[in-house]
Amino acid sequence: MDLLYDHLVRARATGAVFARTVAEPPWGLRLGGSIQLAVHTVVRGRGWLWLDTPGSAVELSPGTVTLVRGGPDHYIGHEPGADCLEPEEFRARHAQAAPGDNPQATVFLCGAYQLSGEVGSGLLDALPQVMTLSAAIDDPLRDVITLLSRELVRTEPAQQIVLDRLLDLLLVLAIRNDFHRSATAPRWYRASADPRLSAALQAMHENAAHPWTVPELAAISGLSRAAFARTFREALGQAPMQYLTEWRMTLARDHLRADDLSLAQIADAVGYGSPFAFAAAFRRHHGDPPGAWRQRERATADTRSLVTHHGP
């Protein structure tokens, strides 16, 4: 197991192709900020993507992939500032266009991702608001884009499954590509490539419930206790036990939000000897006991769901 895999699995990223479009100019599409992570790639032609902020426009061209984090709305169109339609109206207007009908048409794919829980939020927070990746000749990202292009040329049986799987690959490769080249990649990602720390980090992530100690983690790393503690703090900005507590609290919040596990079961799952020890640690970390935190979070989620389904 590696740490990026662990984060992606725990984030339970689910994707769905929501627009595979041939659009003839003029065209424009507005996508709401409630989409946690949007993925755009142009198969043929050109397009532009922009936010409401001045100077935010980026060109979309074949061979590139653009990811947009949720928050503000974003727009794609034949030119920056084009009039943009809501997705349903946009699909209805361009439903009859075919790739061969107009050489000026743009063929593009949009994907929407939902990442769940604290781990998913942490992954998203590590990404820039808008990220455009251009794949090198030998980059597997280019191969995936090529496969997408071929798959979109005509309708085939089980095409939706193929597109979903390719979109999954696109997301993982894009995140990995960004983390490789970004100076602001998460510290855990950079540290996981350090042979002095990778084994200890993997051990903590694989088994957060184990009663880890600094000497035990140092032994896994092949370092003295002092050298391990110093190297860990330099790489991750916190002591090993502080990092472990943060990770345990992240897992606990996901359990409290998503599961019906009892506090005793969650305590056991994240490495506390009793529900009382877990409650005390959680309260120190969050200011509220875990039961109250769970009730508040679920009430907030219910309210949000009500607004989404019944609001204007």
Side-chain angles (χ1 to χ4, degrees):
M1 185 200 75
D2 64 75
L3 264 61
L4 180 58
Y5 168 85
D6 186 42
H7 278 72
L8 285 167
V9 169
R10 291 182 187 278
R12 295 184 293 278
T14 54
V17 175
F18 63 80
R20 172 225 179 216
T21 303
V22 180
E24 300 176 354
W27 61 271
L29 171 65
R30 186 191 78 84
L31 295 162
S34 60
I35 300 170
Q36 276 194 314
L37 183 65
V39 183
H40 304 291
T41 185
V42 167
V43 176
R44 196 190 79 189
R46 290 289 189 276
W48 290 84
L49 182 146
W50 66 96
L51 308 177
D52 285 319
T53 52
S56 61
V58 296
E59 188 174 11
L60 306 177
S61 59
T64 65
V65 179
T66 301
L67 275 68
V68 186
R69 272 198 297 121
D73 294 348
H74 68 280
Y75 311 85
I76 54 177
H78 72 285
E79 63 181 14
D83 289 337
C84 291
L85 304 175
E86 296 297 315
E88 282 190 22
E89 187 179 356
F90 180 86
R91 283 195 294 269
R93 175 161 309 179
H94 297 281
Q96 304 305 317
D101 292 345
N102 184 348
Q104 300 302 313
T106 298
V107 183
F108 65 96
L109 173 73
C110 298
Y113 271 93
Q114 191 74 21
L115 280 74
S116 64
E118 297 287 327
V119 179
S121 296
L123 267 180
L124 290 175
D125 290 344
L127 297 174
Q129 186 67 58
V130 178
M131 175 177 70
T132 298
L133 299 171
S134 181
I137 298 284
D138 59 348
D139 193 324
L141 191 62
R142 179 180 288 268
D143 297 330
V144 175
I145 295 170
T146 300
L147 285 171
L148 273 170
S149 304
R150 290 175 179 169
E151 188 64 26
L152 291 170
V153 170
R154 59 186 183 275
T155 301
E156 294 283 0
Q159 186 176 51
Q160 186 67 47
I161 295 175
V162 174
L163 291 174
D164 283 349
R165 298 302 180 270
L166 289 174
L167 205 56
D168 288 341
L169 282 172
L170 200 65
L171 173 67
V172 174
L173 292 172
I175 290 176
R176 192 172 72 183
N177 191 312
D178 180 69
F179 284 3
H180 270 321
R181 68 177 189 169
S182 173
T184 58
R187 283 184 154 188
W188 57 259
Y189 181 81
R190 296 198 300 272
S192 69
D194 187 332
R196 300 169 299 172
L197 298 174
S198 59
L201 283 168
Q202 286 183 25
M204 285 189 274
H205 278 253
E206 285 179 349
N207 190 1
H210 183 80
W212 295 109
T213 64
V214 173
E216 188 177 9
L217 292 167
I220 290 173
S221 301
L223 299 173
S224 70
R225 175 177 177 169
F228 173 73
R230 182 179 64 254
T231 304
F232 195 100
R233 183 178 284 279
E234 288 171 354
L236 287 123
Q238 55 189 166
M241 291 300 102
Q242 185 182 359
Y243 178 89
L244 179 60
T245 299
E246 294 275 359
W247 180 239
R248 286 171 168 170
M249 289 296 112
T250 296
L251 298 180
R253 290 192 298 272
D254 276 353
H255 282 305
L256 289 167
R257 271 203 192 94
D259 302 337
D260 290 321
L261 297 180
S262 68
L263 296 187
Q265 289 171 315
I266 295 174
D268 186 59
V270 299
Y272 290 90
S274 72
F276 305 105
F278 168 59
F282 193 92
R283 186 166 199 149
R284 280 196 305 273
H285 213 75
H286 298 89
D288 287 319
W293 190 93
R294 170 186 260 171
Q295 288 181 344
R296 187 179 68 247
E297 286 296 310
R298 291 190 173 183
T300 301
D302 288 344
T303 302
R304 193 180 300 123
S305 176
L306 200 63
V307 170
T308 301
H309 290 94
H310 301 287

